[in-house]
Amino acid sequence: MAATLCGKLLPKKGWLPLTQNIRHGSKAVTRHRKPMHFLKQKLMAVTEYIPPIPAAPHGAYPSPTNVSQEQESPLMRLSKRDLAAVFHDCKMVAVVQNNGSTAADMMMLKNRLHKHNMKVKFFPNQVMRSFLRESIYSNMAPLFIGPTVLLVSEEPKVREMLSTLRNSPQMVLLGACIDDTLLSPQGVASYAKLPSLAAVQGQLASGLGAPMSLTASLMGRHPAHLTALLRQYVEQQNKDA
């Protein structure tokens, strides 16, 4: 009888009880991580290791020999010769950025400029930089980034150029060289507000002729009137002295 009870009550090998005691509740935490001091955080950020930038693989950039050979090509020399003739013959050379204009837009722009005896010239940026590097117009080199065109004319017709560009919003003026002077877009707008050369010459001629006409009219007056004027002038000079 005792053996039977012991066999029923005692657990067998490899047997687990149907019920188990599970402890519920939060675990006891005895240590918390202390926050790092802000001075130490700054020190760690300053002394952080920055790995060096890996060098470009061989062949990623063109070799200097290839560039020199391209610069000495006959086509580049011919383009630089044409470009030198443009800067020599034209008093106005404007640099305009082409922002995706179509062939029809470019044809319309050429027709509008042709009415004012202006032309559109296309030169690669590589040719432009090579020419400007060796000329007195080297300060224009930063303007030639991306697709650009040249608007040239033998006489500086700034007002006509600006009015034409207003009708072509895809063409943006970057700068211009007018009478061997490099101007920004704001400088070109200010230059357009100046009076024409004929108007300035007329104002100068009228200003120089006014004293002569006044002198002639005084000489035509009566001698007594001229004597009174001279006496008054002498008295004014004595008072000022």
Side-chain angles (χ1 to χ4, degrees):
M1 187 65 181
T4 304
L5 292 174
C6 292
K8 292 180 179 181
L9 296 177
L10 295 175
K12 298 180 181 180
K13 295 181 178 180
W15 176 82
L16 296 176
L18 298 178
T19 60
Q20 296 182 359
N21 295 327
I22 301 176
R23 181 182 177 182
H24 296 278
S26 61
K27 296 182 180 180
V29 180
T30 57
R31 296 185 62 184
H32 293 275
R33 187 175 181 180
K34 295 176 63 177
M36 188 182 299
H37 197 270
F38 71 97
L39 291 178
K40 188 175 181 180
Q41 293 179 6
K42 291 183 178 180
L43 182 61
M44 294 294 292
V46 171
T47 59
E48 184 181 1
Y49 173 73
I50 300 177
I53 300 175
H58 181 70
Y61 297 99
S63 60
T65 56
N66 295 335
V67 175
S68 61
Q69 291 177 0
E70 293 177 0
Q71 290 179 353
E72 295 297 331
S73 62
L75 179 60
M76 180 171 288
R77 288 197 296 268
L78 182 61
S79 300
K80 290 172 65 175
R81 190 182 310 165
D82 296 341
L83 191 57
V86 168
F87 275 88
H88 181 267
D89 299 336
C90 300
K91 294 183 179 180
M92 186 185 74
V93 179
V95 184
V96 179
Q97 186 176 11
N98 183 9
N99 294 325
S101 60
T102 60
D105 296 336
M106 189 60 66
M107 185 62 66
M108 186 70 67
L109 178 64
K110 289 182 178 180
N111 292 336
R112 290 172 179 171
L113 293 175
H114 183 70
K115 297 178 181 179
H116 305 290
N117 295 326
M118 286 187 284
K119 300 179 181 179
V120 180
K121 297 290 185 179
F122 297 90
F123 291 97
N125 290 342
Q126 183 180 2
V127 177
M128 292 296 305
R129 295 193 191 98
S130 178
F131 168 76
L132 295 174
R133 193 183 304 114
E134 303 171 357
S135 66
I136 60 175
Y137 311 101
S138 57
N139 293 334
M140 295 181 64
L143 300 179
F144 294 93
I145 298 176
T148 55
V149 296
L150 297 181
L151 306 183
V152 300
S153 64
E154 295 182 357
E155 297 296 331
K157 300 181 179 181
V158 182
R159 295 180 182 177
E160 294 80 357
M161 180 189 65
L162 293 179
S163 62
T164 304
L165 291 178
R166 290 192 191 99
N167 298 325
S168 301
Q170 66 275 8
M171 308 297 289
V172 181
L173 180 64
L174 301 179
C177 180
I178 302 175
D179 291 331
D180 294 336
T181 303
L182 181 60
L183 299 176
S184 63
Q186 294 78 13
V188 174
S190 301
Y191 186 91
K193 298 178 182 178
L194 297 176
S196 61
L197 182 60
V200 174
Q201 290 177 351
Q203 294 176 1
L204 181 61
S206 62
L208 294 176
M212 299 176 63
S213 62
L214 182 60
T215 304
S217 64
L218 290 176
M219 296 299 294
R221 295 288 186 89
H222 194 272
H225 180 70
L226 181 59
T227 303
L229 291 177
L230 292 175
R231 186 181 296 110
Q232 183 180 1
Y233 175 75
V234 171
E235 290 177 358
Q236 291 178 355
Q237 292 294 326
N238 294 331
K239 290 180 181 180
D240 296 339

